[in-house]
Amino acid sequence: MRTGLLRAIGAATCAYGIATAYRPGLLARPCGLVDPDGQVGPHTAMVLRPLAWRDAATGLAMLVAPQGPALVTATTLRIASDVGDALLLGPVLPGRVRRAGAAVSALGWAALTVAGLVGRDRHATAMY
């Protein structure tokens, strides 16, 4: 397991989740979930905030979990969340480019996280 990479992904995911919970437009705008004026409606914000907090929580778990089964579990949850986003959000977003972009982005993060999970630290003395 590449612990440093997993910690970095966790930190980035946690920061993005907190920022998006505060400003849902960070996720809504690229996904095309804004009104004609480019504003995020209150219902859209309400639906996106739990996803943002999920990202913050799983990222924090990856950041602070002890190496071993706890980090593997936190990482697996993060991967499942990204795959779920690709499968559930990607197909329903407005516009082909946005659908593809959401799916590729989510699957890209999942793939990077899988690489961290199955990769091996250069200086590792034990595999978990």
Side-chain angles (χ1 to χ4, degrees), residues 90-91 93-107:
L93 294 176
R96 198 156 132 200
V97 171
R98 285 192 172 108
R99 287 191 299 270
V104 167
S105 177
L107 292 175

Side-chain angles (χ1 to χ4, degrees), residues 1-42:
M1 159 176 14
R2 297 188 64 197
T3 306
L5 176 58
L6 294 178
R7 303 285 190 211
I9 293 168
T13 302
C14 183
Y16 175 76
I18 291 169
T20 303
Y22 182 68
R23 294 188 182 254
L26 293 171
L27 178 58
R29 284 187 186 86
C31 290
L33 301 175
V34 293
D35 63 25
D37 297 330
Q39 299 299 312
V40 179

Side-chain angles (χ1 to χ4, degrees), residues 72-99:
V72 170
T73 300
T75 300
T76 302
L77 290 172
R78 180 70 251 146
I79 293 165
S81 295
D82 285 332
V83 171
D85 288 349
L87 294 174
L88 299 173
L89 292 177
V92 300
L93 294 176
R96 198 156 132 200
V97 171
R98 285 192 172 108
R99 287 191 299 270

Side-chain angles (χ1 to χ4, degrees), residues 20-25 28 33 40-52:
T20 303
Y22 182 68
R23 294 188 182 254
L33 301 175
V40 179
H43 294 104
T44 300
M46 178 181 65
V47 170
L48 293 179
R49 281 192 171 106
L51 294 176

Side-chain angles (χ1 to χ4, degrees), residues 102-122:
V104 167
S105 177
L107 292 175
W109 278 103
L112 180 63
T113 308
V114 167
L117 186 61
V118 301
R120 190 164 185 202
D121 277 331
R122 284 180 260 208

